[in-house]
Amino acid sequence: MVQQVAAAPACTGPREAVTSALGTADDVLPADRESSRQRQRVITAHPDLQERELIKLATLCGALAGALQRRGVPERTARLAADTAIAVFTAAFARWLETPERPDFATLVHEAVEEQRAVVGG
């Protein structure tokens, strides 16, 4: 996803760059959603694993913010865009786990972005 942010056209804004990059998560998500559901149940049942999962998301957030900064986005703006992207990612991932026949991850990201816009009014 970080490579996708870096490869976005120069005219692409920070929110659009990270949102587009999130849509490529299909490349790293397992095809078998049931194994991901089982993994998530184990994480949910163990606080240490929940903490580890949050650390992974924070690491991804930092990497996305860094990629945006390398594109010339100011640090605070890059961090806010990356934090927002992680919220979208977690919402889309939860939906991806919930139903076996949902659309591809990019569609779920788009749905989460639209809901986020409704919440924040933009």
Side-chain angles (χ1 to χ4, degrees), residues 21-84:
L22 293 178
T24 67
D26 266 336
D27 297 342
V28 296
L29 295 174
D32 176 19
R33 290 186 196 192
E34 186 54 38
S35 65
S36 292
R37 285 186 200 98
Q38 290 173 358
R39 176 185 175 277
Q40 192 61 44
R41 283 192 291 272
V42 170
I43 290 169
T44 300
H46 295 89
D48 290 345
L49 294 177
Q50 291 172 30
E51 181 180 19
R52 185 169 183 262
E53 193 72 2
L54 289 172
I55 291 168
K56 287 181 187 179
L57 289 172
T59 301
L60 175 58
C61 184
L64 291 171
L68 288 169
Q69 285 179 267
R70 288 187 292 280
R71 291 173 55 84
V73 176
E75 181 180 356
R76 289 189 319 190
T77 303
R79 185 61 191 203
L80 182 57
D83 285 340
T84 301

